[in-house]
Amino acid sequence: MAYFLESKGYTISIILPNKISNYFRTLEIKTITDRTCSEAITLFGLERHLEFWRRPDPTYKRLKQLTRERDQLVQERTAVKNQLHAEQTEAEPNTNSLNRIKERIAVLQKQEKEVLTEIKLIVKEKLCT
């Protein structure tokens, strides 16, 4: 929504909900309705000097996405390693299953290395500019 409104030329502020909630508690409002909530939000906006939201740097967005992807790969690899351990400690482990699990771990490690390489390239580009 912020990106859309910003692209249409609006200036906007993004406020965390807990800030509005804490502000609402300071008001002497006994009944919570849509109307009282919208009035509290309006008062909050009028009383405070709100910083305007600016579109984040595209580099930051790319790095954020890549670090999320890496975190997911690490979590997935940990789960698969746990599966490998469980299969290996079984009374009669299935060799084919062990091989497939090891292949999945290798693929996840390869993907994590690719993501880390991409992160390093982005950081290097940013530092050189």
Side-chain angles (χ1 to χ4, degrees):
M1 179 67 97
Y3 285 89
F4 172 77
L5 291 173
E6 191 261 350
S7 72
K8 297 296 180 188
Y10 290 96
T11 53
I12 59 172
S13 297
I14 296 178
I15 309 299
L16 295 173
N18 64 334
K19 285 189 177 187
I20 300 288
S21 178
N22 291 336
Y23 175 78
F24 191 85
R25 284 190 212 114
T26 66
L27 303 174
E28 294 182 19
I29 299 173
K30 293 180 179 31
T31 307
I32 299 174
T33 64
D34 287 346
R35 181 183 174 114
T36 57
C37 287
S38 62
E39 288 171 355
I41 293 169
T42 302
L43 285 173
F44 181 88
L46 291 171
E47 290 179 5
R48 308 281 171 106
H49 175 69
L50 304 177
E51 290 186 29
F52 293 127
W53 177 84
R54 288 189 314 272
R55 185 180 295 262
D57 184 316
T59 303
Y60 171 78
K61 277 191 70 176
R62 287 173 54 204
L63 287 172
K64 190 173 182 179
Q65 186 275 329
L66 288 169
T67 54
R68 270 196 213 123
E69 181 182 0
R70 182 186 172 273
D71 289 344
Q72 291 169 348
L73 288 167
V74 169
Q75 288 176 2
E76 189 176 346
R77 187 181 66 222
T78 301
V80 175
K81 281 185 174 182
N82 289 340
Q83 291 173 349
L84 176 63
H85 177 71
E87 187 67 31
Q88 288 172 329
T89 56
E90 211 173 87
E92 296 176 353
N94 182 328
T95 308
N96 292 331
S97 291
L98 289 173
N99 290 335
R100 283 189 293 272
I101 292 171
K102 288 176 184 177
E103 287 173 13
R104 264 189 279 160
I105 291 170
V107 167
L108 291 168
Q109 286 174 330
K110 179 180 176 276
Q111 289 177 340
E112 182 187 3
K113 284 181 184 177
E114 290 171 0
V115 169
L116 286 172
T117 301
E118 196 172 339
I119 289 171
K120 287 176 185 176
L121 285 172
I122 292 169
V123 170
K124 188 176 179 180
E125 283 176 15
K126 193 66 174 174
L127 291 175
C128 291
T129 57

